[in-house]
Amino acid sequence: MLDLVWLVPLIPLIGSLINGVGRNTFSKSLIGFIGSGAIFLSFALSIAIFTELSSSVGKSHEVFLFDWISSGYLQIPLSFLVDPLSAIMLLIVTGVGFLIHVYSAGYMHDDPGFGKFFSYLNLFIFFMLILVLGSNYVVMFIGWEGVGLCSYLLIGFWYTNGNYASAAKKAFVMNRIGDLGFLLAVFFIFTTFGSVEFSKVFPQVQNLLAQDSTLTLIALLLFIGACGKSAQLPLFTWLPDAMAGPTPVSALIHAATMVTAGIYMIARSSVIFDLAPMVQNIIAIVGLVTAIMAAIIALTQNDIKKVLAYSTVSQLGYMFLGLGVGAYTGAFFHVITHAFFKALLFLCAGSVIHALHHEQDMRHMGGLRKNLPVTFITMLVGTIAIAGLPPFSGFFSKDEILAHVYAHNKVLWMVALFGAFLTAFYMFRMLFLTFYGKYRGTHYGEEKIHESPTSMTIPLIILAILSAVGGVLGVPEALGGSHWLSHWLSPVIKHSGETPDHATEYILMAVSVLGVIISIIIAYARYIKKAQVPVSDETERPMLAKVSYNKFYLDELYDTLFRKPLDAASGLFYKVVDKKIVDGLVNGLGAGTAETSKGLRLLQSGNVGFYIFMMVAGIISLLLYTYLSL
């Protein structure tokens, strides 16, 4: 079965091609069946591969397909690596991806681009699978670029809206900045180690000394690539704007696929980063700053999808913080649990938006728990999970990261803990504004509110169950568990950070849970007891709230520092270099030729005597030239 791993990405590709060709002829039911069925088949194969891998001795299997690039010393095969890390990612991408496909069949049913949408979704899954299965950095980079292309297509799916099209372009351009760093890292890896194959590069890396300058540069460039794809400061502003796409797209990009690519790449390259401690410190600081900034921004957002978007950025920051302190297993554990509860939260938000006829402003919601009971209960589970209350999944993964951070640096731990309290507050703020109190929309809208169809609620229920029990994968020894995930990943990740003793770990857990409960109580008192609703008038906001609501003015800062100077430079080049110099030269040559021809044509008068005169004059001129040149 391991040798058939190439079928896992191939089946979604075939599904994408079939739906793409038949998008205007197939029925929506058939399109949904083909699109969802393709991902389900890949998921079934992934389960079989995972089962066989778990019983194998080496727990690593490389499947060679064919020689792809062969030029001198550069030998790059198209081959796939099946090991504990990629096997888990296969299950996440195809499992969560399948639920999102099923959900999409109901959510997008009335959209005229239904067939095209499913074709793009299948193609997205195909490229993500190529990314996680590649046995070398070049194949990984092909998948890396492919998900960037598909994100552009999906974010700008409703491209007739100019703002949505701009959001798609923004995501594409900002990802290219990070991708350049990744590409340069691949070049340095090849020139340093003579290969881009993981199996050949990593053994050579282990022979180098820590803080080797070349290795540090490679690690830094890989991190820059990860910053773009996984939305870290300063390249995270594209991710909230990605909410322009349909809600299933938000769930797919934010939960199980694209934004986790950076964490996966660093975890895969942990051997390199372990020998680059300076880069690890940069990763930890950038991750922590990103987590806190995004959490502060989420506190004041009114769009339900924007709250979840900044929540994703914040949680990704925690994952990078874990990677920075060497807690690769903890960071990857949070990738898994985050895939469950963030996909759930986005799909629940989509269910609310669907019920309210595309209303996304929480100020126009309220009191929906009676009308949307399934959506409310499942969203409550997801909110508890991301807040980090036991025994839900987010508690185990978040506290594992915090424990490693505490052992590494107490100051970083205190700041990270504060961010965890902010997470609980803004998530329950979202829950209370949406589902509690009185309905603040129109009376006409209230009469039309109803629960989503079964195709949308069943994925919510499954993801809610996974969000509740997913923590069993990494129950720590301090709580009587064996941390199955740590043992499973041990062949790939040799080192996963320092941990405090059990007594200290108990105290850290207690402090974390107590702070989360206090944050929830504050949110309850403010948005249920006092029934506060965010103000609509910008002038009524306090100064700090304005800064938060306007996202620290980062977009405006980038406009001032980059976009406007580039626009001004391009305008100058257009008016001076292009129009006056280039166009002037071309147009001048054309005009000169035209004017010259106007004069020369007068010589063609048709008078025979004039022609004889000119012939005689020419002969005399030639004779004079010959005489004078002697």
Side-chain angles (χ1 to χ4, degrees):
M1 185 58 70
L2 295 177
D3 290 327
L4 297 178
V5 69
W6 52 274
L7 286 173
V8 177
L10 180 63
I11 294 173
L13 177 61
I14 294 173
S16 175
L17 293 174
I18 293 174
N19 276 336
V21 172
R23 66 187 183 279
N24 295 324
T25 54
F26 294 163
S27 67
K28 290 184 177 180
S29 299
L30 180 58
I31 290 172
F33 177 78
I34 293 172
S36 302
I39 308 303
F40 179 76
L41 288 176
S42 292
F43 178 57
L45 282 171
S46 299
I47 293 175
I49 289 168
F50 178 85
T51 303
E52 184 172 338
L53 185 69
S54 62
S55 60
S56 64
V57 178
K59 293 194 183 308
S60 181
H61 187 73
E62 189 167 328
V63 180
F64 174 84
L65 298 181
F66 55 84
D67 285 320
W68 178 28
I69 299 175
S70 180
S71 177
Y73 293 106
L74 180 61
Q75 303 293 325
I76 303 175
L78 182 60
S79 55
F80 294 146
L81 177 62
V82 184
D83 66 358
L85 188 61
S86 61
I88 289 285
M89 285 299 295
L90 287 184
L91 293 176
I92 296 172
V93 173
T94 57
V96 177
F98 168 67
L99 295 175
I100 293 173
H101 275 70
V102 173
Y103 179 95
S104 300
Y107 188 86
M108 298 293 292
H109 188 267
D110 297 328
D111 196 284
F114 188 84
K116 182 173 65 174
F117 182 78
F118 268 86
S119 179
Y120 289 168
L121 280 186
N122 276 187
L123 189 64
F124 194 106
I125 295 292
F126 162 73
F127 278 118
M128 188 65 195
L129 292 171
I130 292 294
L131 190 157
V132 301
L133 282 173
S135 69
N136 59 68
Y137 281 107
V138 174
V139 175
M140 179 188 283
F141 187 73
I142 296 302
W144 190 275
E145 290 297 288
V147 295
L149 167 65
C150 292
S151 69
Y152 168 76
L153 296 173
L154 288 167
I155 294 168
F157 184 75
W158 292 320
Y159 59 87
T160 53
N161 183 313
N163 291 331
Y164 294 177
S166 296
K169 288 186 288 185
K170 182 177 181 179
F172 192 80
V173 171
M174 293 196 77
N175 270 274
R176 298 292 75 74
I177 297 170
D179 294 351
L180 177 61
F182 189 5
L183 189 60
L184 290 174
V186 175
F187 291 156
F188 276 107
I189 288 170
F190 175 73
T191 55
T192 304
F193 304 107
S195 176
V196 291
E197 288 283 313
F198 300 146
S199 58
K200 295 179 181 178
V201 171
F202 295 159
Q204 296 183 62
V205 170
Q206 293 175 335
N207 295 328
L208 297 177
L209 297 175
Q211 301 187 40
D212 179 89
S213 58
T214 303
L215 208 58
T216 300
L217 178 61
I218 291 172
L220 185 60
L221 290 171
L222 288 174
F223 170 59
I224 291 172
C227 277
K229 198 66 70 184
S230 295
Q232 296 299 287
L233 194 71
L235 300 178
F236 75 78
T237 57
W238 69 267
L239 191 59
D241 288 0
M243 297 299 96
T247 301
V249 173
S250 304
L252 191 63
I253 291 177
H254 287 236
T257 55
M258 183 171 167
V259 296
T260 63
I263 291 94
Y264 170 79
M265 182 261 284
I266 293 178
R268 172 66 71 191
S269 310
S270 60
V271 176
I272 295 176
F273 287 89
D274 277 337
L275 297 178
M278 183 186 76
V279 178
Q280 281 190 313
N281 289 332
I282 294 173
I283 293 173
I285 293 171
V286 169
L288 184 58
V289 173
T290 303
I292 298 301
M293 281 189 66
I296 292 173
I297 294 172
L299 292 173
T300 56
Q301 299 306 302
N302 298 322
D303 187 316
I304 188 171
K305 288 177 66 176
K306 284 291 180 71
V307 174
L308 294 176
Y310 283 106
S311 167
T312 298
V313 176
S314 182
Q315 296 305 306
L316 289 169
Y318 279 105
M319 297 174 204
F320 273 84
L321 175 60
L323 294 172
V325 300
Y328 302 108
T329 301
F332 191 71
F333 185 23
H334 203 53
V335 167
I336 297 173
T337 60
H338 182 263
F340 297 153
F341 57 69
K342 188 50 63 68
L344 170 63
L345 289 166
F346 266 112
L347 296 186
C348 286
S351 181
V352 171
I353 295 167
H354 181 268
L356 299 181
H357 309 286
H358 303 288
E359 176 61 68
Q360 296 182 197
D361 194 327
M362 295 184 297
R363 291 172 296 186
H364 302 152
M365 299 179 186
L368 298 179
R369 68 185 189 277
K370 296 178 182 178
N371 304 88
L372 308 173
V374 177
T375 302
F376 166 66
I377 293 172
T378 52
M379 198 166 201
L380 176 62
V381 171
T383 303
I384 294 173
I386 193 174
L389 288 177
F392 292 78
S393 59
F395 164 77
F396 295 99
S397 57
K398 180 201 69 177
D399 275 54
E400 180 174 346
I401 292 175
L402 290 176
H404 284 286
V405 173
Y406 180 85
H408 181 80
N409 187 297
K410 306 298 187 294
V411 176
L412 294 182
W413 172 79
M414 291 177 65
V415 179
L417 187 66
F418 173 69
F421 299 161
L422 293 180
T423 301
F425 179 82
Y426 68 68
M427 287 305 302
F428 274 89
R429 169 185 179 267
M430 180 196 72
L431 186 78
F432 294 151
L433 285 174
T434 304
F435 292 99
Y436 286 83
K438 294 181 179 180
Y439 180 64
R440 297 180 293 275
T442 62
H443 180 67
Y444 173 80
E446 186 176 10
E447 292 176 345
K448 295 286 186 178
I449 297 173
H450 58 84
E451 186 60 270
S452 298
T454 306
S455 62
M456 294 172 64
T457 55
I458 289 178
L460 299 184
I461 295 170
I462 295 173
L463 287 169
I465 294 171
L466 292 172
S467 299
V469 304
V472 299
L473 297 175
V475 177
E477 295 180 0
L479 297 178
S482 60
H483 207 305
W484 174 88
L485 185 65
S486 179
H487 293 295
W488 173 257
L489 294 177
S490 58
V492 182
I493 299 174
K494 306 297 182 183
H495 169 70
S496 198
E498 304 173 13
T499 55
D501 58 78
H502 289 352
T504 303
E505 200 166 349
Y506 293 143
I507 296 173
L508 297 179
M509 290 179 185
V511 171
S512 175
V513 172
L514 180 61
V516 166
I517 292 173
I518 293 173
S519 298
I520 295 171
I521 292 173
I522 294 173
Y524 178 84
R526 185 168 185 174
Y527 297 105
I528 293 184
K529 286 291 187 182
K530 296 182 180 179
Q532 291 187 11
V533 178
V535 297
S536 300
D537 189 355
E538 180 75 14
T539 59
E540 296 180 12
R541 299 178 189 275
M543 179 57 68
L544 293 178
K546 284 184 182 179
V547 173
S548 170
Y549 183 75
N550 289 286
K551 298 154 282 194
F552 286 90
Y553 299 96
L554 283 176
D555 283 318
E556 291 79 2
L557 178 64
Y558 293 163
D559 272 356
T560 302
L561 293 179
F562 302 109
R563 189 187 63 81
K564 289 181 180 178
L566 286 173
D567 283 350
S570 63
L572 179 66
F573 275 91
Y574 169 70
K575 292 177 181 178
V576 177
V577 178
D578 193 14
K579 291 194 72 174
K580 293 187 177 179
I581 298 178
V582 177
D583 285 355
L585 178 62
V586 173
N587 295 335
L589 289 173
T593 303
E595 293 299 321
T596 303
S597 65
K598 287 179 182 179
L600 292 174
R601 72 180 176 83
L602 298 176
L603 298 176
Q604 304 297 326
S605 64
N607 189 318
V608 177
F610 178 74
Y611 292 159
I612 293 172
F613 171 75
M614 291 301 296
M615 182 176 67
V616 172
I619 293 171
I620 294 172
S621 298
L622 287 172
L623 289 173
L624 286 172
Y625 174 76
T626 304
Y627 175 76
L628 294 174
S629 63
L630 292 176

